[in-house]
Amino acid sequence: MEFLKIAFLSMGSLVVLFILTKLMGDREMSELSMFDYIISITIGSIAAEMATSLEDDYRRPLLAMVIYAAVCIIISLLTCKSIKLRRFFEGHSLILYQDGKIYEKNMLKAKIDVDEFLSMCRVCGYFDLSEVHTAVLESNGKLSILPMVKNRPVTPEDMNLNPTQSFPMANVIIDGKILQDNLKWAGKNEAWLEKQMHAQGIKDIKEVMLATCDSSNNQLNLYVKVQSVSKNDMFQ
């Protein structure tokens, strides 16, 4: 009986965690503020306690989870309206390096030493600090780098070119099934889709694993299913 109760409470806590997480917003771990991180850990700990609680009333940890989530949602709404509150709860960006100068006090405030700073620069693709003009530590812990103008990638504007604006690819077929809403969003219909498939030698839609529509050049990109196993695996 105890095992059934644990299984039931575990499933219930997972459902509640999922709902509360969706309400609090979907963000990656690297994008969580310190406050969000603390709230997430606390809610997770309460959920684990709720799942293994055999004698206590499960409604108490459930109520605590809801209260923590509600506080997180309220603070998120308040920080959207107030810059001061946003900087208090989420922090603000720090300039660690600019134009050949390392800002020691900002480094100490961020608790980052020179070795770690150079490692973060290398992760961003900069092995030579002389190629960097400004390095900013964002509030989410990531390093943003503005390179020297002579080291930044060449843009079409630098070469006086006017390329055509590209648009997001719409997935119109996934696993042999037509995604009607995406097809409509791309401004196409099934007749156009069938014509494009026949032009590329595809007779049965079930042969298609993925198809994307490029609206900028009116083209359908097809990726067919292959049932056989690849014998030339370069990553083994």
Side-chain angles (χ1 to χ4, degrees), residues 12-219:
S13 64
L14 283 175
V15 172
V16 173
L17 271 176
F18 177 78
I19 294 173
L20 294 179
T21 302
K22 296 295 288 186
L23 290 174
M24 289 188 293
D26 299 326
R27 287 194 286 181
E28 296 180 3
M29 286 297 298
S30 60
E31 297 177 345
L32 292 178
S33 65
M34 185 176 294
F35 181 79
D36 293 332
Y37 181 68
I38 293 173
I39 289 291
S40 300
I41 291 179
T42 304
I43 291 178
S45 300
I46 296 174
E49 181 68 22
M50 171 183 168
T52 56
S53 178
L54 300 178
E55 298 178 358
D56 297 333
D57 188 355
Y58 71 91
R59 291 173 294 183
R60 294 179 180 178
L62 180 61
L63 178 60
M65 290 170 61
V66 172
I67 291 174
Y68 273 105
V71 170
C72 184
I73 293 171
I74 292 172
I75 291 179
S76 297
L77 294 174
L78 291 176
T79 53
C80 290
K81 301 292 185 180
S82 172
I83 295 178
K84 292 183 178 180
L85 285 177
R86 183 160 61 246
R87 289 183 175 177
F88 176 77
F89 286 104
E90 300 180 3
H92 58 87
S93 302
L94 292 172
I95 297 178
L96 302 183
Y97 173 89
Q98 189 172 53
D99 200 17
K101 299 176 183 178
I102 297 177
Y103 291 87
E104 183 182 12
K105 289 187 177 180
N106 286 352
M107 298 272 282
L108 291 173
K109 187 175 181 180
K111 296 179 177 59
I112 295 177
D113 55 39
V114 175
D115 290 332
E116 186 177 359
F117 170 66
L118 293 176
S119 175
M120 295 171 73
C121 289
R122 290 193 294 271
V123 171
C124 293
Y126 293 91
F127 288 74
D128 187 353
L129 202 58
S130 64
E131 298 178 358
V132 178
H133 182 274
T134 304
V136 179
L137 183 68
E138 305 294 352
S139 58
N140 60 5
K142 291 185 177 181
L143 189 69
S144 299
I145 290 181
L146 175 67
M148 289 290 190
V149 66
K150 63 180 181 180
N151 297 114
R152 67 174 176 83
V154 178
T155 64
E157 186 177 0
D158 294 332
M159 304 179 67
N160 295 321
L161 299 177
N162 296 308
T164 304
Q165 177 62 49
S166 58
F167 296 92
M169 292 280 191
N171 298 328
V172 294
I173 299 177
I174 292 182
D175 199 17
K177 296 181 180 179
I178 300 176
L179 305 180
Q180 297 290 348
D181 291 338
N182 291 359
L183 187 64
K184 184 178 180 181
W185 178 86
K188 308 299 180 184
N189 52 35
E190 290 192 32
W192 176 87
L193 190 62
E194 293 179 2
K195 183 179 179 180
Q196 291 288 324
M197 289 173 53
H198 291 158
Q200 299 185 41
I202 305 297
K203 298 181 180 179
D204 190 353
I205 193 174
K206 293 182 180 180
E207 299 176 15
V208 181
M209 176 68 75
L210 173 66
T212 60
C213 178
D214 188 353
S215 301
S216 58
N217 58 10
N218 197 35
Q219 181 180 348

